[in-house]
Amino acid sequence: MGYAADTNARISPAWLFVMPVFLAFAVFLIAVPYPIIKPPVNLLGEACYFYSETQDEYPNLQQMAEAQKCDGMPAPSHETVWLSIDTAELSPEIGTEYKLVLFRHWVEGATVRFQYSDGTAVGYDLGPYDFDKHWSVGNFVTFDAPARESAVEHIYLGLDNPSSIKLFRQLNFVKATDWQQREVTGHLIISLIIGGLFAMLLYNISLATTLRFGFHLQYCLFVFSIFVYTVMAYGVFAYFMPGVLTVGQQMNITILALGLNGISGLLFLSAFIEKGIFPNWWNRFIVWAGVPFVLCSILYVTARGWHADTIDLAFNLLALGGILVILISLIIAIPRGSRSAVFYAAGWLLPVFGVTIRILRGLDVIPHSALTEFAMPIGMALETVILSLGIADRISQIRRERDAAQIATQEAKAANEAKSNFLARMSHEIRTPLNAIIGLSELTATTDLNDKQRSYVGNIKASGDILLALINDILDFSKIEAGKLDLERTAFNPAAVFEVARTIVEPRMLEKGLALDIRGLDALPRKLYGDPTRLSQIIINLANNAVKFTERGSVTITVSCTDRTDGKAFLNCAVTDTGIGMTEEEKGRLFQSFSQADETIARRYGGTGLGLAICKQLVEMMDGHISVESTPGVGSTFKFNLLLDLPEANAPQQAQTNGEPAGASVSLKGAHILLAEDNPVNRMIALKLLDAAGIKTDVAEDGLEAVSRASATRYDAILMDLQMPGLDGTAAAAKLRETDISKQVPIIAMTANVSEKDRELCMKAGMNDHIPKPFKPDELYATLAKWLN
């Protein structure tokens, strides 16, 4: 598709839009502070831990804490895992309300105990549906430590059936006022993110249902997965619908959303990038690379518990693999000039950039703020915007390509029409003098000539026949290329078609001293349905080709018929000669337009190289196959088969044809016809041939004269040229059909206009038949006999 050309020029408009988005994102997250007054200390790494049996009440936590460990992290357990936190180092202020803030963990229950220095305690006991009551923006849960005259000196946090303590990630003890300041900004940010995602989802669903591009549907699935993940993972669902789902059920939906996000993102990548950028095998690999994401998310949901750490590791490895697949795909696509890849890269890098910002925030490299806390969902939301703009650009690109393709198709159609018109006009202009050449040579051959004169006349006629065959081949090839060659379906006797071919080919074979043998005719069915004219053309073409390249020996045509059970039959034919044969390399050039086995063949034997190409296309149009076997110096065998219809049982018998008009043997002597022909040479030839058959002929030199004569005299038939001064042949025929005296008279077009369009115009004008120029005497007599019968 030419994507590699002028890569910089094609990518730069997209980059001009994408780069400012990145810069704005970075400034928004880093330069705009909204800081929490004092960055909270993550207490998770300092917490000690111990275990106890899960129970409703824990009377003496201090006594149980005597067995606590302070090295490493606790492992997942079916018991209650306790985190023991000493807050003395935080120096909590007396009379100040604090909050215990922890990243909401996917557990079945939790117990919180604040121990004050005066010996009092405040506790919270949470079941599976109780976590949402303590939800805080950003998917945190917070527990109030009320202001007292004494400070909090110890915190106990018990977790029932945790999958992994590592998933906490954050545990803070902060002033309530500081956290409330963070919540105001957080609520605003998460609302904007969710609202933006929801708007993008609805907008693109409406577009996808209207435009129906495959990649648009996959993009909608991708946005839907991000929307569900954000709503669940960042606690929005818990805030608006508390207690509807357990914390475990919310986690399951979050994990499934991640699986959908993985496969939809890769499917979108495969469909979104322009066709031809990726090899087919890589496209298939991208699609299949998303399947493990779904399988792993389903496994995570069904086997959560003891195996959660292992599955979590597998999920992370899959995510890393997906990143590599996307990275390799972009490395392939962008240098090849893919605009879609630029948009995909920009959108994909935004959440990656957001994760990086959050990591740097955790390492205290950049300031703490609510914005940096939400860097990842902000990046994901902006990703959907960038990809939506990329889709708009892709659709515009597709429309431009379609418009260009439509224009190219119209131009090709116009060029093809111009070529057809040119060929038709040139055919007419060549056939008119060629008719005179062939006709006069045939008439001259009937006079008294010496041997030298007869040889000259014979060469003139042979040259005319070769030129006529060339014109017919070019016209046939042009019609096949344009898809305008229609096949007939008529009843015919296949043996008769081969016999007609024999009469045409045999005279030339006798001149070269060759023998012609046609085998298998007796075993053929009496009737088949198909196009006998095109079958005859294939046989004669292959037989003439065999004669051309055979200097001594014979040409053998073997034919058979193989019935099928579906009312059809294969007509099988092989044309074998003892000629010059071909090498494998020469065979490879056969059946191609204007191509012959060897360039020297055209100079030695003549021909255009169209004959075999036409045969191949005709055979394939009749659901058949053609092939060749050849040995240099020994000869060649051309084999073909055609799929033809068998006559139905109990079907009425139809008149069979072997290529000759019915009634060809009827005597023409005494018939009275009108010849309308403006060309004096063609008129003279036709008059001589008609006179030789004993036909009385009146002449009209233009269309107006033809109408005048035919309106006054009842003729047995009218031979009408098409292109005449004053009134052309079709207009004259139409006028004659309006008169009472000429309504039933056969009107036969006799013209050099031989296209199917010209035939149709003749029939619409009221003509009965069509004789192309140049014509042979037998063809003229047979057509007249058909209509005078």
Side-chain angles (χ1 to χ4, degrees):
M1 298 177 65
Y3 294 114
D6 196 11
T7 301
N8 293 331
R10 300 195 61 178
I11 292 178
S12 55
W15 277 119
L16 288 175
F17 168 78
V18 168
M19 291 308 298
V21 173
F22 269 106
L23 292 175
F25 186 35
V27 170
F28 185 66
L29 293 178
I30 300 173
V32 181
Y34 296 107
I36 295 177
I37 296 174
K38 182 180 179 181
V41 177
N42 189 353
L43 302 177
L44 184 61
E46 304 297 327
C48 298
Y49 62 93
F50 58 93
Y51 303 94
S52 73
E53 294 183 1
T54 301
Q55 52 191 346
D56 294 334
E57 295 183 2
Y58 300 93
N60 194 337
L61 290 176
Q62 291 179 340
Q63 185 176 357
M64 288 191 297
E66 292 177 359
Q68 70 182 16
K69 298 180 181 179
C70 299
D71 55 331
M73 276 288 182
S77 172
H78 284 296
E79 301 173 319
T80 298
V81 178
W82 290 92
L83 298 179
S84 175
I85 305 161
D86 186 357
T87 59
E89 294 183 2
L90 300 176
S91 302
E93 299 175 6
I94 297 173
T96 303
E97 183 179 358
Y98 280 81
K99 284 182 179 289
L100 177 67
V101 180
L102 63 146
F103 192 83
R104 190 174 63 161
H105 192 49
W106 311 108
V107 294
E108 299 299 325
T111 302
V112 180
R113 293 286 187 270
F114 295 106
Q115 298 286 349
Y116 287 83
S117 59
D118 61 1
T120 59
V122 174
Y124 301 88
D125 295 315
L126 281 68
Y129 291 93
D130 296 329
F131 282 85
D132 295 344
K133 300 174 184 177
H134 298 269
W135 178 85
S136 179
V137 67
N139 208 19
F140 290 91
V141 288
T142 61
F143 302 95
D144 293 332
R148 298 180 65 87
E149 294 301 324
S150 60
V152 175
E153 66 176 7
H154 210 95
I155 301 172
Y156 294 100
L157 175 63
L159 305 173
D160 294 342
N161 300 327
S163 56
S164 176
I165 303 298
K166 296 176 184 178
L167 294 181
F168 264 102
R169 295 186 293 187
Q170 191 169 335
L171 182 62
N172 307 120
F173 189 65
V174 298
K175 289 183 179 180
T177 53
D178 291 348
W179 186 257
Q180 288 166 0
Q181 182 180 353
R182 186 260 187 208
E183 278 193 313
V184 172
T185 305
H187 278 294
L188 175 63
I189 294 172
I190 202 68
S191 299
L192 290 174
I193 292 172
I194 297 298
L197 287 172
F198 189 65
M200 293 299 300
L201 181 60
L202 292 182
Y203 171 72
N204 282 283
I205 288 176
S206 65
L207 280 184
T209 55
T210 303
L211 300 177
R212 299 180 184 276
F213 289 104
F215 57 77
H216 218 154
L217 174 61
Q218 290 148 2
Y219 171 74
C220 289
L221 288 175
F222 182 70
V223 178
F224 175 74
S225 67
I226 295 176
F227 176 77
V228 173
Y229 170 79
T230 306
V231 167
M232 288 294 173
Y234 285 86
V236 179
F237 181 86
Y239 179 76
F240 287 102
M241 304 185 71
V244 174
L245 298 175
T246 69
V247 68
Q249 290 168 341
Q250 292 178 47
M251 178 194 184
N252 291 344
I253 296 174
T254 303
I255 296 299
L256 292 175
L258 284 175
L260 178 61
N261 181 263
I263 190 170
S264 61
L266 289 170
L267 288 174
F268 175 67
L269 171 65
S270 175
F272 184 51
I273 302 302
E274 296 88 342
K275 300 298 181 184
I277 294 292
F278 294 140
N280 289 333
W281 68 268
W282 183 254
N283 253 329
R284 290 193 294 270
F285 178 76
I286 293 174
V287 172
W288 283 105
V291 175
F293 280 96
V294 177
L295 297 178
C296 195
S297 64
I298 295 173
L299 182 63
Y300 199 111
V301 168
T302 56
R304 187 165 57 89
W306 291 102
H307 307 288
D309 283 349
T310 303
I311 300 172
D312 185 59
L313 176 62
F315 210 98
N316 289 330
L317 291 176
L318 283 175
L320 178 60
I323 290 173
L324 291 176
V325 170
I326 294 174
L327 188 60
I328 294 171
S329 301
L330 296 176
I331 290 173
I332 294 173
I334 291 178
R336 295 185 178 183
S338 171
R339 292 173 61 91
S340 300
V342 175
F343 279 99
Y344 194 96
W348 176 67
L349 288 174
L350 283 169
V352 174
F353 186 55
V355 172
T356 305
I357 291 291
R358 186 167 179 174
I359 293 172
L360 294 176
R361 169 192 174 276
L363 297 174
D364 293 328
V365 176
I366 60 176
H368 287 242
S369 71
L371 290 175
T372 54
E373 178 66 34
F374 287 95
M376 181 177 172
I378 291 173
M380 295 171 72
L382 289 176
E383 176 186 21
T384 64
V385 175
I386 294 292
L387 292 181
S388 184
L389 293 172
I391 286 176
D393 182 78
R394 181 79 179 96
I395 292 173
S396 298
Q397 186 180 356
I398 290 173
R399 285 175 172 168
R400 288 194 299 270
E401 291 170 356
R402 285 181 178 176
D403 291 343
Q406 187 175 5
I407 293 172
T409 301
Q410 292 172 350
E411 291 177 348
K413 185 177 180 181
N416 192 54
E417 193 71 26
K419 181 185 74 173
S420 299
N421 293 336
F422 172 76
L423 288 174
R425 183 177 295 276
M426 291 304 298
S427 171
H428 178 272
E429 296 302 325
I430 295 173
R431 283 175 184 274
T432 299
L434 189 59
N435 183 57
I437 294 170
I438 295 176
L440 288 175
S441 63
E442 288 181 341
L443 291 176
T444 304
T446 63
T447 63
D448 294 332
L449 301 172
N450 59 40
D451 291 342
K452 182 178 290 188
Q453 291 170 330
R454 192 170 300 281
S455 174
Y456 290 163
V457 171
N459 288 333
I460 292 172
K461 182 178 180 301
S463 298
D465 289 338
I466 292 171
L467 184 56
L468 178 60
L470 170 61
I471 295 171
N472 289 334
D473 279 351
I474 292 174
L475 286 177
D476 278 346
F477 182 74
S478 175
K479 284 189 285 187
I480 291 172
E481 273 199 328
K484 295 182 178 180
L485 185 66
D486 297 322
L487 297 177
E488 295 181 6
R489 187 185 181 277
T490 184
F492 69 95
N493 185 340
V497 173
F498 280 89
E499 290 296 347
V500 170
R502 183 201 297 271
T503 62
I504 295 174
V505 176
E506 202 164 38
R508 188 177 171 199
M509 297 188 66
L510 293 175
E511 290 177 5
K512 298 184 71 172
L514 303 175
L516 175 62
D517 185 15
I518 302 181
R519 302 172 182 175
L521 295 183
D522 295 339
L524 295 179
R526 294 289 301 278
K527 182 167 66 173
L528 291 172
Y529 288 93
D531 192 329
T533 303
R534 296 304 174 185
L535 171 59
S536 177
Q537 182 178 356
I538 295 168
I539 298 167
I540 292 170
N541 223 328
L542 293 178
N544 279 334
N545 195 65
V547 174
K548 181 194 297 186
F549 298 110
T550 304
E551 298 299 332
R552 62 180 62 86
S554 63
V555 175
T556 303
I557 301 177
T558 306
V559 61
S560 64
C561 192
T562 307
D563 292 356
R564 300 202 326 183
T565 58
D566 56 355
K568 296 180 180 292
F570 274 113
L571 183 67
N572 309 301
C573 182
V575 180
T576 304
D577 63 60
T578 58
I580 61 175
M582 290 173 287
T583 64
E584 289 297 323
E585 181 182 354
E586 291 169 340
K587 283 164 55 179
R589 290 194 290 268
L590 292 181
F591 305 117
Q592 298 179 17
S593 309
F594 302 100
S595 176
Q596 293 189 335
D598 192 327
E599 293 181 1
T600 61
I601 287 177
R603 295 192 294 270
R604 182 178 176 185
Y605 295 98
T608 62
L610 280 177
L612 291 178
I614 293 172
C615 284
K616 181 177 185 293
Q617 296 188 59
L618 289 175
V619 166
E620 290 175 350
M621 288 176 68
M622 289 187 267
D623 298 321
H625 176 71
I626 188 169
S627 61
V628 61
E629 299 173 359
S630 186
T631 303
V634 177
S636 304
T637 298
F638 286 84
K639 297 179 180 180
F640 71 90
N641 57 35
L642 307 176
L643 187 61
L644 303 172
D645 292 327
L646 292 167
E648 298 178 7
N650 304 320
Q653 296 295 312
Q654 300 180 12
Q656 298 179 19
T657 176
N658 58 5
E660 297 181 5
S665 60
V666 175
S667 173
L668 302 176
K669 189 173 182 179
H672 188 196
I673 69 171
L674 174 64
L675 172 65
E677 173 63 71
D678 65 312
N679 187 285
V681 177
N682 291 334
R683 190 165 60 239
M684 179 191 70
I685 294 171
L687 284 172
K688 290 286 186 182
L689 295 175
L690 294 171
D691 183 62
I695 299 173
K696 179 182 178 182
T697 308
D698 292 343
V699 176
E701 296 186 4
D702 57 50
L704 291 173
E705 186 179 355
V707 172
S708 176
R709 284 181 173 275
S711 300
T713 306
R714 183 177 295 279
Y715 293 100
D716 296 316
I718 300 173
L719 293 174
M720 183 80 72
D721 187 25
L722 290 189
Q723 293 191 1
M724 294 185 294
L727 193 68
D728 63 31
T730 53
K735 271 185 108 45
L736 287 173
R737 290 308 185 201
E738 297 173 0
T739 63
D740 293 336
I741 197 170
S742 302
K743 278 185 177 179
Q744 304 302 322
V745 178
I747 303 177
I748 302 168
M750 191 170 64
T751 176
N753 294 347
V754 296
S755 69
E756 194 64 34
K757 183 179 179 181
D758 293 321
R759 292 175 183 270
E760 291 175 1
L761 288 174
C762 292
M763 300 303 113
K764 287 181 180 179
M767 297 186 179
N768 302 91
D769 213 332
H770 184 283
I771 301 175
K773 295 177 183 177
F775 55 82
K776 296 183 180 297
D778 290 345
E779 185 179 4
L780 174 63
Y781 297 150
T783 305
L784 285 173
K786 171 183 174 182
W787 294 103
L788 295 176
N789 183 19

